[in-house]
Amino acid sequence: DRVAAESPDAPETWAARLKALGYSHVVVQPTMLEVWQRSGWLNPVLAPDRWLRQFLETSKARVRTPDGSILVEL
C-alpha cells in the first residue's frame, strides 16, 4: 500500500521499490482485490484494473494457481 501510494501512476516501479525494501516475492490475488474493491476496503490506487497488467508485464510472474493467484518474483 505504501509503495503504491508513493508512486500511484507508476506501477512499473513497484517491483524495484519492494525489492529495495527487502521483499523477494509478492502474491497477487486478483479475486480478493476485486472483493475488497466492491466492499470499499481497497485503496483506490490498488484497484486491479489500474495497475495489475502493467505490474505483471514489468515483473516476473513465476506461478499462476488455479484460483487465479499469481506469485511474482521481484
Side-chain angles (χ1 to χ4, degrees), residues 13-64:
T13 67
W14 295 357
R17 295 170 66 105
L18 288 166
K19 191 170 184 176
L21 290 170
Y23 294 92
S24 62
H25 294 78
V26 172
V27 174
V28 179
Q29 294 179 306
T31 302
M32 186 55 67
L33 291 173
E34 291 169 9
V35 168
W36 289 348
Q37 185 177 20
R38 281 194 310 268
S39 300
W41 301 336
L42 186 67
N43 176 339
V45 172
L46 294 175
D49 57 331
R50 287 192 53 164
W51 64 273
L52 186 57
R53 182 182 49 79
Q54 190 173 4
F55 178 75
L56 293 175
E57 287 175 355
T58 58
S59 302
K60 299 173 191 162
R62 293 296 185 193
V63 176
R64 293 176 186 264

